[in-house]
Amino acid sequence: MRHPLLATASAVVAGMAFFVGGQALAAPATSFTPAQRAEIVGIMRDALQNDPSILTDAIRAIREKAEEQKQDSTLAAVKAHQSELQTAPDFAIRGNPHGRITVVEFYDPRCSYCRSMMGEVDSFLSRHPDVRLVEKVVPVLGTNSVLDTRAIFAASAQGKYEAMRRALMADTTKPSMERIVELAQANGIDTKKLTADMSSPQTVALINTNLDQGRAVGLDGTPTFIFGTAAVAPGALEADQMDAFLERARKA
């Protein structure tokens, strides 16, 4: 099997410009004599042995270019689906419901990085009263994620979306239906109705809608934040990163 790093290195080598005596060799490779080709290979080998950073820098540039192209593709998808992405039931909208800038957050309730971002997101909304945050719960980490997501959406039928979301995402107990019932009772939720609503067509539709939207923009993982139509930022972010992405969205 071909090693990916070697494949990348081959691409770098294939794309490098060759110089002899300070002059670029503009002629196609097919016009080189065997002696010229041997000289070029020798020059490259010496350069890479004496300064390995040449290859490292070239590989980094290729990766950065690939990431830039991926970001462009994702942003094009975000713009194409902007209306759907920025639409959600009232219970899933936080911050200023009439805010000038909309930030979308895809999260999984079992995702440790999503959990670590809860306080950061709260602080972000406090710092920026012009932000409208749209939450998209997506169960991408397996059956436990599906279970918690169903409970969160079912609780919304009793006006308890936020209470159930926070209770489940702060809970470190092994997930189970029994634990969901315990947390529901502790938060004043009718457990019989909650259990029934977890399998309702409305709950299933909410989950499928969010998953479809995630697929439409090529969601790679959670958390993922979309700042207006200016930036898509996957992974846990620090305060200054969130503020910088927001500023980019404001200027877009």
Side-chain angles (χ1 to χ4, degrees):
M1 185 174 70
R2 196 177 188 188
H3 195 286
L5 182 57
L6 296 181
T8 304
S10 297
V12 173
V13 172
M16 290 177 67
F18 304 128
F19 292 83
V20 176
Q23 298 296 316
L25 294 174
T30 54
S31 69
F32 295 150
T33 67
Q36 288 174 324
R37 285 197 292 270
E39 184 179 4
I40 290 169
V41 171
I43 291 171
M44 286 182 56
R45 182 180 291 112
D46 290 343
L48 293 174
Q49 287 176 344
N50 294 327
D51 187 4
S53 67
I54 294 173
L55 184 58
T56 302
D57 291 344
I59 292 173
R60 183 184 300 113
I62 289 174
R63 289 175 174 167
E64 289 175 352
K65 182 63 176 178
E67 183 59 35
E68 180 182 330
Q69 292 173 339
K70 180 181 177 183
Q71 179 79 189
D72 290 344
S73 175
T74 301
L75 285 177
V78 165
K79 290 174 183 177
H81 297 277
Q82 180 180 3
S83 178
E84 306 100 284
L85 288 169
Q86 297 188 357
T87 299
D90 289 345
F91 62 76
I93 295 175
R94 299 177 58 201
N96 183 348
H98 305 291
R100 188 171 67 87
I101 301 293
T102 294
V103 177
V104 178
E105 178 191 8
F106 282 94
Y107 76 89
D108 183 308
R110 301 304 308 177
C111 165
S112 60
Y113 295 106
C114 301
R115 293 179 169 207
S116 72
M117 284 299 298
M118 289 178 66
E120 197 65 71
V121 171
D122 290 343
S123 177
F124 174 73
L125 293 176
S126 296
R127 291 197 305 275
H128 304 290
D130 62 335
V131 170
R132 174 179 178 266
L133 180 73
V134 177
E135 293 183 340
K136 305 283 184 178
V137 197
V138 283
V140 296
L141 297 178
T143 55
N144 290 332
S145 295
V146 174
L147 185 66
D148 281 5
T149 301
R150 288 168 57 206
I152 290 170
F153 279 137
S156 71
Q158 300 181 50
K160 294 287 188 175
Y161 165 89
E162 183 67 4
M164 199 65 184
R165 179 183 79 86
R166 288 189 179 275
L168 284 170
M169 293 185 72
D171 190 51
T172 57
T173 305
K174 183 178 179 180
S176 66
M177 193 62 212
E178 291 75 17
R179 183 57 177 163
I180 285 174
V181 168
E182 290 177 4
L183 292 173
Q185 289 174 333
N187 285 277
I189 298 172
D190 182 334
T191 57
K192 184 176 291 188
K193 176 173 173 51
L194 178 80
T195 303
D197 287 339
M198 284 178 65
S199 300
S200 72
Q202 292 84 354
T203 293
V204 173
L206 287 166
I207 294 174
N208 285 335
T209 294
N210 286 355
L211 288 173
D212 287 344
Q213 290 175 3
R215 281 189 286 266
V217 296
L219 184 72
D220 276 342
T222 56
T224 291
F225 296 88
I226 302 174
F227 294 81
T229 57
V232 177
L237 303 175
E238 297 181 358
D240 59 342
Q241 292 176 306
M242 296 191 74
D243 289 350
F245 282 124
L246 179 63
E247 189 61 26
R248 189 188 303 180
R250 283 178 174 147
K251 293 178 179 178

